[in-house]
Structures are given as C-alpha cells and as structure tokens.
Amino acid sequence: MASLPWSQQLAKNLADRKTAGRYRQQRTRLGEQGVEVIIDGKQLLSFCSNDYLGLASHPALKKAFIDAVEHDGVGAGAAHLLTGHSQYHQQLEEQLADFMGQQRALLFSSGYQANIGVIDGLMTRGDYILQDKLNHASLLDGGRLCSAEQLRYQHNDMHALQRRLQQSEKAAHRLIVTDGVFSMDGDIAPLPELISLAKQHSTAVMIDDAHGLGVLGKQGRGTVEHYQIEQQSMPIIMGTFGKAFGTAGAFVAADEEVIDTLIQQARSFVYTTAQPSAIAAATLASLKLIQDENWRRDKLQTLIRQFKVGAAELGLQLIDSDTAIQPIVMGDDEQAITIGKQLEEKGLLVGVIRPPTVPEGSARLRITLSANHSEQQVTQLLDGLELVHAH
Ligand SMILES: *Cc1c(COP(=O)(O)O)cnc(C)c1O
C-alpha cells in the first residue's frame, strides 16, 4: 500500500471509511436554524441542533447584531491584543464575569480554541492534566498539544480520579478537566465530589460547560449553579456561545491571575483574529434573555420529562440524562445509520453519532431538545421512534 501514489492512498482510505459506515459529509441548510429546518432541500423536524433555548434566530439577537454592524462594520480586523477588541467585546467580558460570579472573563473566537488555549496556556512540562475519558475532543487535544503529562480516568468515576491523583502526586501543578454536561451522553459531572477530591490533593479544576450554560441552574449559570458550588470553590469555567446562547465564540471565566496568564500565554487567544464585534453584541442580547426568560429553561425541562417518560414507555434504552441531550445507544453503527435514515424518511432529523466520536460499540441516536419544540412535536418524535423496535 505504501507504494501507491498519495492521492490513490487517500482515495482508498476514503473508500474504506465509506464501507465501514464512518464517512462524514456536510449537508446544506437553507434558511434559519430552528426546530423546522430545510436540509438538502427537504423540510425536516430537527432534534439535532444545540440551540437549546431557541435563541439562534431570535429577533433581539438579530437586531443587536445588525445595529452593531451598522456601528462597527463587519470584520474585527485584528487580534484582541491589537485593535480587534471592541467596546462590545469589553462589555461582554465584564457582564460574563458578573454572571458567572468570577473575577474576570476572557473571550475566545471558538470553544475549540478556548479549550486548547486554557490547557496549553496554563500547563507545562512537569505538570499533570487529569481528564475524564469522555471529555470533548478539544479538551483532549489541548492536552495533546501541551508538554504536560496527561492521564485519563474512567467516565465520572471518582475512585478512578482518586487513583490518578495519587499517581500524580509528584507533579509540579495539576489540573482536573471535565465536561460539565457530557456532549454525547447528556449526563452531568459529579462536581461536588470532584471539587472536594481536588481540594484534598491541592489540584485546580476546569470545567467545560458548553452544554450546561443557559440550560442548567435557575439563572442559567450552568453546572456550577445546578450544584450551588460556593464562591471559594469555583473552578475555571469555559463556556461556548454556539449552543444555548445561539451565537458563536466562547469565554473562560476565572480569577484575575488565571485570566491574565491566558492573555500572555494562550496561543489560540493571542494569535487569532477577534470575532466580529456584532457577534459580541448579539451575545450580550442573548445573555440578557438567558437571565430574564426563565420560561425557556422551564419549558425545556417539561419537554425533557415528556420525552423521557414517552421513551421509557416505548422501552427504549436511554442514558441517565436530565439535560437537553437524550441519546439512544444502538451499539451497532449500521443499525444507528439505518434507523437515522428511516426517521428522516418520516421527516424527523436526529444526530447519528458513530465512533470515533463515541467509544466503539456505542453508536447512537443523539436527540437534542429545544425550548422552541412543542409538546406535539416531541410526541411526533416518540411516534417515529417506535420503529426502533422493528430492528
Ligand atoms: C461544542 C463544544 C466545544 C467547542 O465549541 P465551539 O465553539 O463549537 O468550537 C467544546 N466543548 C464542548 C463540550 C462542546 O460541546
């Protein structure tokens, strides 16, 4: 095989991927993101976006975005440390720090960049990073990129974490890293136990709350509010705007020293163009809605309960999740793909997630709910899911 010309080798790899049911492909959306979307020309009822509060196409966000474009133009034109940091960016950082109850917040252009920036920016040779095995790819990549040692522990297993802490006592500094809400499972990290272990072993904690922010907690402050974590135990928090916030980009909230260090050392912050300031303006509008409109979280919770009860009645195997992410594990790749296709023929769009995004043998339908779904639409999904039993 090694003797094949490169392009032929690539073509063969792609063909192998297709045969294995692991081929990935973009599909084109026409019009707004929402619960009813037009994908590849076909109108579908979608249960696979991360727009959990239904804000991505909200009029208040559109207006804030357009007004900011009128005021600031489109491109940020430079990195935050040059002339890219606008008044909207500054205001958003200040409001996020307040919202999260942290000393300071720092914007990144995407969650992926925030995660590699925090890990690579804070940790160095002689340090240890301890990560949950099911953490988001960007967190694991942050660990791979930096010169610290990285150990992984079994998913949400605090005994396994404790063993890793004992194994790494010689480290100069340590950081435990976990998703707040796990992106492919929807379950929540056991933060109180995790933070208490971290304290016993003088270890810092970082949580990636991409799927908790806006959704969990009375005010939408995510996993830390869900558990009512006290001020003096606050971990470093990474949050993204591409999910419940309905915009784009990300932030890290932490104490002054951590943020100031990231400004100096996080390469994915320093060496990238700031997001357009209109995005920050729209995110300010969405932060206000997240704080003011509790009904979105309440409605989402009602739909989650409806879905769980209905799915249990159908005898479907759900993961223990009380969040907007409700996976149905099929195991077999082919079976997950077939059911996904059949649902689509009925006008229902769900995520079909295969390895390596999830562990081997755990291919699944990843169903996500949004405050913009109606109970009738959830019933429609449940009716469609009856066909899982035909397999
Ligand atoms: C989506 C996601 C990210 C990446 O955020 P982007 O802004 O989309 O780059 C990071 N972590 C988790 C858990 C995510 O779900």
Side-chain angles (χ1 to χ4, degrees):
M1 280 305 115
S3 60
L4 277 179
W6 191 36
S7 63
Q8 280 181 36
Q9 180 69 53
L10 294 180
K12 184 185 174 303
N13 293 349
L14 287 166
D16 289 350
R17 220 177 223 280
K18 278 187 191 160
T19 316
R22 302 267 161 102
Y23 188 69
R24 310 179 205 246
Q25 219 169 351
Q26 296 121 306
R27 307 183 67 182
T28 305
R29 195 190 71 237
L30 190 66
E32 291 187 350
Q33 178 62 272
V35 300
E36 278 165 339
V37 288
I38 300 169
I39 297 289
D40 292 342
K42 199 172 156 206
Q43 169 133 6
L44 297 165
L45 179 55
S46 164
F47 291 93
C48 59
S49 91
N50 300 315
D51 182 21
Y52 302 126
L53 299 179
L55 296 179
S57 302
H58 192 286
L61 273 68
K62 288 186 190 174
K63 180 165 189 319
F65 187 94
I66 291 164
D67 288 351
V69 167
E70 295 293 351
H71 197 269
D72 271 25
V74 178
H80 282 275
L81 293 175
L82 293 166
T83 55
H85 190 71
S86 73
Q87 52 159 347
Y88 297 106
H89 292 117
Q90 182 58 31
Q91 211 182 327
L92 180 57
E93 286 183 349
E94 287 167 13
Q95 290 194 19
L96 285 166
D98 279 354
F99 178 58
M100 296 311 299
Q102 301 259 23
Q103 287 176 358
R104 221 173 144 184
L106 183 70
L107 297 179
F108 283 77
S109 296
S110 76
Y112 194 102
Q113 286 170 283
N115 280 341
I116 59 175
V118 174
I119 295 176
D120 184 47
L122 293 180
M123 306 305 280
T124 186
R125 199 171 303 282
D127 296 342
Y128 271 75
I129 306 155
L130 312 182
Q131 297 221 34
D132 188 292
K133 280 206 165 149
L134 296 190
N135 275 353
H136 191 263
S138 54
L139 292 169
L140 299 169
D141 288 357
R144 292 202 307 193
L145 192 66
C146 90
S147 45
E149 295 288 331
Q150 173 154 275
L151 298 173
R152 294 168 71 179
Y153 58 88
Q154 286 299 327
H155 177 50
N156 277 349
D157 181 341
M158 293 300 102
H159 293 292
L161 173 58
Q162 186 161 28
R163 285 194 294 278
R164 294 299 189 214
L165 284 162
Q166 284 156 356
Q167 261 177 293
S168 58
E169 292 290 356
K170 64 177 186 300
H173 307 282
R174 288 180 292 179
L175 180 67
I176 300 170
V177 180
T178 183
D179 280 18
V181 172
F182 285 84
S183 48
M184 295 301 140
D185 293 68
D187 54 346
I188 307 175
L191 266 200
E193 294 89 335
L194 190 146
I195 287 172
S196 131
L197 266 180
K199 274 196 182 153
Q200 286 166 34
H201 293 267
S202 311
T203 299
V205 177
M206 169 194 182
I207 72 161
D208 170 343
D209 216 15
H211 301 280
L213 267 182
V215 173
L216 294 179
K218 205 164 164 29
Q219 308 273 320
R221 282 185 278 112
T223 307
V224 292
E225 192 186 6
H226 172 78
Y227 285 118
Q228 310 212 312
I229 302 297
E230 287 172 10
Q231 188 61 40
Q232 75 272 17
S233 304
M234 267 309 162
I236 298 169
I237 297 169
M238 193 289 298
T240 66
F241 304 133
K243 283 143 190 165
F245 275 78
T247 62
F251 72 95
V252 176
D255 59 27
E256 181 68 38
E257 291 73 25
V258 167
I259 298 299
D260 210 12
T261 303
L262 292 177
I263 292 173
Q264 317 308 315
Q265 297 182 180
R267 297 166 64 86
S268 62
F269 168 79
V270 175
Y271 298 108
T272 200
T273 301
Q275 280 223 339
S277 53
I279 300 272
T283 307
L284 281 163
S286 108
L287 180 58
K288 183 158 170 28
L289 290 173
I290 284 174
Q291 288 171 282
D292 293 351
E293 299 196 348
N294 274 322
W295 68 264
R296 291 178 189 275
R297 276 180 290 282
D298 296 343
K299 166 122 182 271
L300 184 57
Q301 283 308 322
T302 305
L303 297 172
I304 292 168
R305 274 193 301 276
Q306 181 197 350
F307 176 79
K308 287 183 71 170
V309 169
E313 278 167 7
L314 289 173
L316 296 175
Q317 196 73 44
L318 290 179
I319 287 178
D320 187 19
S321 158
D322 291 319
T323 67
I325 303 166
Q326 293 291 329
I328 301 175
V329 176
M330 317 289 331
D332 181 59
D333 290 15
E334 284 302 330
Q335 198 184 355
I337 293 168
T338 307
I339 292 176
K341 277 203 186 115
Q342 291 178 355
L343 287 171
E344 197 171 320
E345 281 159 17
K346 291 173 180 274
L348 299 164
L349 189 62
V350 304
V352 175
I353 313 287
R354 291 155 286 168
T357 305
V358 291
E360 286 295 333
S362 73
R364 66 196 63 186
L365 307 179
R366 178 179 182 269
I367 289 159
T368 51
L369 298 168
S370 161
N372 273 5
H373 283 121
S374 66
E375 291 183 24
Q376 188 266 330
Q377 287 169 327
V378 173
T379 303
Q380 220 176 311
L381 171 67
L382 288 164
D383 289 346
L385 285 170
E386 281 188 38
L387 67 79
V388 171
H389 278 302
H391 288 263

